[in-house]
Amino acid sequence: MNSFLLMQALGEIAPEKVQKALESMGRTPQSAGKARPVRKLARTVLLAAVITALLGATAYAVGISVDRLRQEKLRQDLKIEENAVENYEEYALPEQEETAAPAAPKITVLSTYRDGDNQYIYVNISPVRKEQIREQAYGNGGFGADLDGVGHYTEIYFTREFTEDEHEPVHVTIEGKDEVHMHLKDEAIYEHWLENYDEQEQSLTLRVSVYLNSAAPENRPDLTRPLPLHIAYKSREEDSDLAMDYGTVEVKPAEEYCREIVFDTPPVFPGPEEGTAWEIRKIKLYPSQVLIYIWHDGIEALNLSAEERQALSPEELDRYEQARNQWFNLYDPVIGNSYVTFSDGTRCGIYGALTIPYVDGCQEFNTNWHEKTVNIAEAVSWTVGGQTVSFSPTAK
Amino acid sequence: MEDTKIIELYWQRAGSAIDETEKKYGRMCRSLAENILNDPLDSEECVNDTYLNVWQSIPTQRPAHFAAFLAAITRRLSIDALRRRNAAKRGGGAFAVALEELAECLPSEESVEAQVEARELAEILDGFLDSLKETDRNMFVCRYWLCANISEIAQRLHVTESRVKSSLMRSRKRLGNLLSEVGYR
């Protein structure tokens, strides 16, 4: 024990004692002096808060563009400037003057950016009744999105749940809530939806995720032209015929912004059996996503095509799945505890795998940062399983 | 503005919550951070971080002692910042001196059989502080929690500096004895 620990422990004493001491020292309100200007960090908090406050009915009253405020708030939330996200694009907003909340349902596309295999598109839809949010959360109805040319209508997902061979081309998630898994209780899901819902204004901001590398080629969106995005709502409970068309907006593909780092000396980790090992060959950093490429001997045999799997007997299929799981279970504990260090000494961890498809002879470990976005240009090293690999500053 | 109203502003996610906190408690937080860090820029950063922490904590919390709540966050962030600066013992201003004084009542490294968690130690400290007279307790907390200067304590509590010093010395001695009794020597 040292005096530092004692000083730290003092920090845990009952607050009443501290309050008394503060009062005896005259440091409570009555003696507070002239306030100094709030600096950058607090200003950021303030700005976000002010925007949130303005997004109520007052914005219409003072003639501020509500959609412009929504764009501003989103940019703040995603830390676009702070993390120098280069491929974030805001869409031009309708020019007509807004003097009141819209009476008819409408969607407004706010912004977009592309990370890896996904293009994220933020849309605001309004007016949305609270009951509709509830239905969405409790699975009795909900919002759906489709892309023209894809011909696929999909329910809004709470997670990006991909199966190995069949990727849905469009997913609509609530911004930043990908971690809300289906196993959560409905009440918890409902709460998460409400976080992105302004009841007074009856507006909801969603993130539409377009999966660009759909395994099914016929579902792959044509990126050479703007994509009309259509959002609708349908109720299953109140009235089976109740459907609401929120309309169609056009979205355009964004450029990819990525740093790809190939390791000259790949980090190596023990495999499931003695004498086996797996290695990480490269990493791709995106502002909101990380892709890690894993390789080991015999990896091809663990990634059979659908046809090859169908040809297996039930026992063989069982052994195949067990062998895959043996390897896959090794990745999360190592990679899920890793972190990237930035030039200013700060760190950001990454989550476990969202998906692990087989890409270019490697398992592609898809995951997200602990933060919504990071400044990938400032990443200098990655510490994984106790090994640190440095990035070349020019790798981009 | 009353604390309850400021807290309500945080619950409403109103930007003015931070403004009101700064107006009412900015000086207190800044003074505490400066006592620990001895650096105006670092202190300012800690105060800003404090507001951000409070913004993130309320809701869901509704602190009964808002000033103490704020001060605890500032203190914790300042100590963390000091740790990062790796200048704990020397050249760190009032906090470093306070640390050295506290070291008097600690048993030697060799006789310590086990490290204790800060929270367990805090319980002992709470009991110890309860056993002190109110004036002595305030002096101890002012010195070692708020890291206030002895002259400032004397001035604020309307006593002489030697009175503060002797009270602190007695308290440290009693704390040292107590820590020994509960097995830290």
Side-chain angles (χ1 to χ4, degrees):
Chain A
M1 185 165 63
N2 55 36
S3 48
F4 221 120
L5 179 65
L6 194 51
M7 194 60 97
Q8 200 174 16
L10 261 174
E12 304 283 329
I13 62 171
E16 294 87 340
K17 296 186 178 76
V18 179
Q19 189 81 20
K20 284 262 183 188
L22 284 167
E23 285 166 8
S24 70
M25 288 295 286
R27 291 193 184 174
T28 40
Q30 294 77 10
S31 66
K34 186 183 167 191
R36 296 188 195 183
V38 181
R39 289 180 63 203
K40 185 182 168 191
L41 192 52
R43 271 205 305 272
T44 304
V45 174
L46 273 175
L47 186 55
V50 167
I51 291 168
T52 304
L54 276 174
L55 274 169
T58 48
Y60 294 109
V62 295
I64 298 171
S65 164
V66 173
D67 288 324
R68 182 77 199 95
L69 285 172
R70 287 185 187 127
Q71 282 183 328
E72 179 66 32
K73 182 171 186 297
L74 195 55
R75 208 167 54 236
Q76 296 267 345
D77 287 348
L78 293 171
K79 299 184 177 177
I80 298 301
E81 269 82 29
E82 192 178 332
N83 289 324
V85 178
E86 288 186 2
N87 59 336
Y88 184 81
E89 292 179 40
E90 288 178 343
Y91 290 97
L93 297 169
E95 286 182 1
Q96 76 265 25
E97 198 172 324
E98 299 162 278
T99 53
K106 69 157 190 154
I107 59 172
T108 307
V109 59
L110 300 175
S111 59
T112 189
Y113 71 104
R114 182 178 165 189
D115 257 11
D117 289 335
N118 288 291
Q119 172 146 349
Y120 298 118
I121 302 154
Y122 291 90
V123 293
N124 180 267
I125 59 179
S126 63
V128 172
R129 288 176 293 110
K130 199 172 180 181
E131 301 81 66
Q132 293 175 279
I133 307 289
R134 189 173 177 81
E135 284 196 339
Q136 177 71 50
Y138 284 79
N140 296 322
F143 298 95
D146 66 31
L147 278 176
D148 186 48
V150 175
H152 184 93
Y153 180 90
T154 180
E155 298 285 337
I156 291 176
Y157 285 79
F158 295 102
T159 58
R160 280 182 290 165
E161 288 184 335
F162 298 133
T163 56
E164 190 182 349
D165 298 313
E166 190 180 338
H167 293 303
E168 300 287 359
V170 184
H171 293 262
V172 185
T173 62
I174 288 200
E175 193 281 310
K177 296 299 173 194
D178 284 350
E179 72 275 20
V180 182
H181 294 289
M182 290 302 282
H183 65 256
L184 279 179
K185 288 184 185 302
D186 291 342
E187 289 83 1
I189 294 172
Y190 183 45
E191 288 300 314
H192 280 292
W193 276 85
L194 287 182
E195 281 179 24
N196 288 268
Y197 176 62
D198 183 327
E199 190 177 0
Q200 188 183 9
E201 202 197 339
Q202 294 203 322
S203 93
L204 180 70
T205 297
L206 301 171
R207 185 173 80 174
V208 179
S209 170
V210 181
Y211 191 71
L212 302 172
N213 273 338
S214 172
E218 64 273 18
N219 284 342
R220 194 169 299 161
D222 175 7
L223 293 181
T224 60
R225 60 184 175 82
L227 306 168
L229 173 73
H230 182 248
I231 290 185
Y233 164 81
K234 191 171 185 181
S235 171
R236 289 183 193 139
E237 195 172 61
E238 289 178 350
D239 179 345
S240 59
D241 294 329
L242 179 63
M244 197 171 284
D245 193 336
Y246 279 89
T248 301
V249 287
E250 286 207 335
V251 297
K252 62 183 179 187
E255 293 294 317
E256 185 174 81
Y257 173 49
C258 166
R259 278 183 76 187
E260 178 174 331
I261 297 119
V262 179
F263 300 125
D264 295 332
T265 310
V268 178
F269 306 95
E273 290 161 12
E274 201 172 335
T276 60
W278 55 284
E279 64 184 47
I280 297 172
R281 293 195 157 175
K282 68 176 179 182
I283 184 170
K284 287 171 87 170
L285 309 179
Y286 294 88
S288 75
Q289 189 179 19
V290 187
L291 303 184
I292 295 150
Y293 294 83
I294 295 165
W295 180 88
H296 59 81
D297 275 332
I299 197 167
E300 303 85 350
L302 298 180
N303 289 282
L304 301 179
S305 66
E307 292 76 26
E308 288 171 321
R309 281 206 307 277
Q310 276 179 354
L312 298 176
S313 69
E315 294 76 22
E316 287 171 328
L317 190 60
D318 197 38
R319 279 199 297 277
Y320 169 78
E321 293 295 347
Q322 280 183 21
R324 275 170 64 88
N325 290 338
Q326 264 193 320
W327 283 95
F328 284 17
N329 289 340
L330 297 173
Y331 306 151
D332 258 3
V334 174
I335 297 174
N337 287 314
S338 69
Y339 59 86
V340 165
T341 303
F342 298 89
S343 58
D344 63 356
T346 56
R347 298 169 173 179
C348 187
I350 58 178
Y351 289 113
L354 290 168
T355 58
I356 314 182
Y358 185 56
V359 177
D360 298 335
C362 290
Q363 303 292 169
E364 186 189 70
F365 187 103
N366 286 258
T367 186
N368 292 127
W369 301 100
H370 285 184
E371 303 287 337
K372 286 180 180 173
T373 59
V374 301
N375 187 343
I376 59 171
E378 296 298 322
V380 293
S381 67
W382 181 36
T383 301
V384 54
Q387 305 175 46
T388 297
V389 281
S390 296
F391 302 156
S392 157
T394 54
K396 190 167 178 178
Chain B
M1 184 181 282
E2 286 179 17
D3 288 355
T4 50
K5 288 185 178 166
I6 298 178
I7 292 167
E8 199 49 49
L9 288 175
Y10 279 102
W11 275 80
Q12 291 166 7
R13 313 313 282 159
S16 56
I18 294 175
D19 261 347
E20 293 300 333
T21 308
E22 165 70 21
K23 272 186 208 162
K24 192 169 178 180
Y25 292 114
R27 188 180 174 191
M28 175 195 84
C29 294
R30 209 162 275 111
S31 164
L32 176 57
E34 282 178 6
N35 279 345
I36 294 172
L37 291 164
N38 200 30
D39 181 308
L41 285 178
D42 285 355
S43 305
E44 192 70 28
E45 210 62 52
C46 274
V47 174
N48 279 330
D49 283 349
T50 299
Y51 297 147
L52 184 60
N53 262 258
V54 174
W55 181 263
Q56 289 167 339
S57 307
I58 308 174
T60 54
Q61 296 187 58
R62 204 180 276 277
H65 303 281
F66 188 52
F69 178 76
L70 273 173
I73 293 173
T74 308
R75 186 179 188 274
R76 175 171 53 78
L77 293 174
S78 301
I79 291 175
D80 287 348
L82 188 65
R83 275 213 162 117
R84 282 198 300 273
R85 217 168 62 187
N86 199 22
K89 277 279 183 178
R90 297 190 188 283
F95 181 76
V97 179
L99 271 179
E100 286 179 6
E101 288 177 11
L102 265 185
E104 285 176 23
C105 59
L106 288 171
S108 66
E109 289 285 336
E110 295 76 29
S111 62
V112 177
E113 291 186 355
Q115 292 274 328
V116 289
E117 295 295 328
R119 192 164 287 279
E120 291 175 65
L121 196 52
E123 284 179 16
I124 296 168
L125 287 169
D126 255 331
F128 159 73
L129 289 169
D130 285 335
S131 73
L132 297 179
K133 288 179 191 167
E134 187 175 356
T135 313
D136 292 333
R137 179 167 57 241
N138 281 341
M139 286 179 186
F140 192 94
V141 175
C142 288
R143 181 76 185 114
Y144 301 117
W145 203 101
L146 299 175
C147 304
N149 294 322
I150 287 175
S151 58
E152 191 188 359
I153 299 172
Q155 192 185 352
R156 288 289 182 182
L157 299 185
H158 308 293
V159 294
T160 62
E161 285 189 26
S162 59
R163 163 83 175 82
V164 177
K165 284 179 187 171
S166 63
S167 165
L168 291 174
M169 190 174 69
R170 278 198 311 273
S171 297
R172 289 198 301 269
K173 194 173 178 182
R174 285 184 64 180
L175 178 59
N177 291 338
L178 176 66
L179 290 173
S180 297
E181 280 170 25
V182 293
Y184 298 119
R185 189 181 289 273

